[in-house]
Structure formats: structure tokens, C-alpha cells
Amino acid sequence: MNDESYIKKCIELAKKSETLKEIPVGALLIINNEIIFESHNSPINDKDPTSHAEINVIRRACKKLNNYRLKNTTLYISLEPCIMCIGAICEARIDRVIFGAYVDDEKKFNEKILFYKKNCNIDHMPEFIGGVLKNDCSLIIKNFFKRKRS
């Protein structure tokens, strides 16, 4: 499978979270082209503000692999990770993060990452690649909030 195939799977997971009235974000973790774990946003249903798709994947993958480090892995997400999730991704030592939609745009995301690298004393920073199936991923989020406001 390629990056687009994995992001398409994240979109399916995002749609699942939307059916549960959660903000539609999906994520999965890959080692050697094998999906180790997949999840979606669930803070409302879990009554846990940290229950983002990325955090759920990281927690479950660490338990499955019996290690708090997830070296040699790639995390796929339908939406750019928030600061909390970026912190967890860095602490888990994930190598690559590939995501679909930007919250704002690529320039602002890159500025955030540069700020974190410069000011937050982070020991490990993965490679970030954004914009994979950006329009498809953006549309899910935009439509979700449009329906919520109407």
C-alpha cells in the first residue's frame, strides 16, 4: 500500500468517528507495511480530552508491542496533529507522520514545527508530510462543522 491508500483508510476511520458524533479524525500506525493499530477520535464517548485518534493509536500500539517507544513506524492521520499529539508522537519516537488536511495551511504548520524544534527542547522530531488527499480530508472536517452549526 502507499501513502494515499493509508490516508483513505484514515478517512474511513474519520467517518466512523463522525457517526459517533465525534470530530472526524482517523489515524493508523504502520510498521513494515503492516497496520499495527488504527483508531479514531473519541474524547466525547470516552469522556477523555486526550482521546484523540493519534493518542489512541499510540497507547494501543505501545501495549501491543510492549514498548513505550515506537521506532521504525509511520503514523498516518486524516488531519494535522495538535500540539498534544505532536508531543506524544515525539515522545514515542515515531519516525514519520503523514497526514491529509492542514488546520490552516502548510506554511503555518511548518512554522509551528520550527517553533517547537527551537523552543521546546524536543529530543526527537519525526519527519512530517502533509497534504496527502488534502481536499478529501478537509471536506470531511468542513462538512462536519457546517452540519453542526446549522
Side-chain angles (χ1 to χ4, degrees), residues 132-143:
V132 178
L133 297 177
K134 175 175 63 174
N135 293 337
D136 296 340
C137 293
S138 294
L139 197 58
I140 293 169
I141 295 288
K142 287 176 185 174
N143 288 339

Side-chain angles (χ1 to χ4, degrees), residues 40-54:
H40 55 79
N41 268 6
S42 57
I44 295 166
N45 287 288
D46 290 350
K47 295 167 186 58
D48 177 356
T50 68
S51 196
H52 290 195
E54 303 94 310

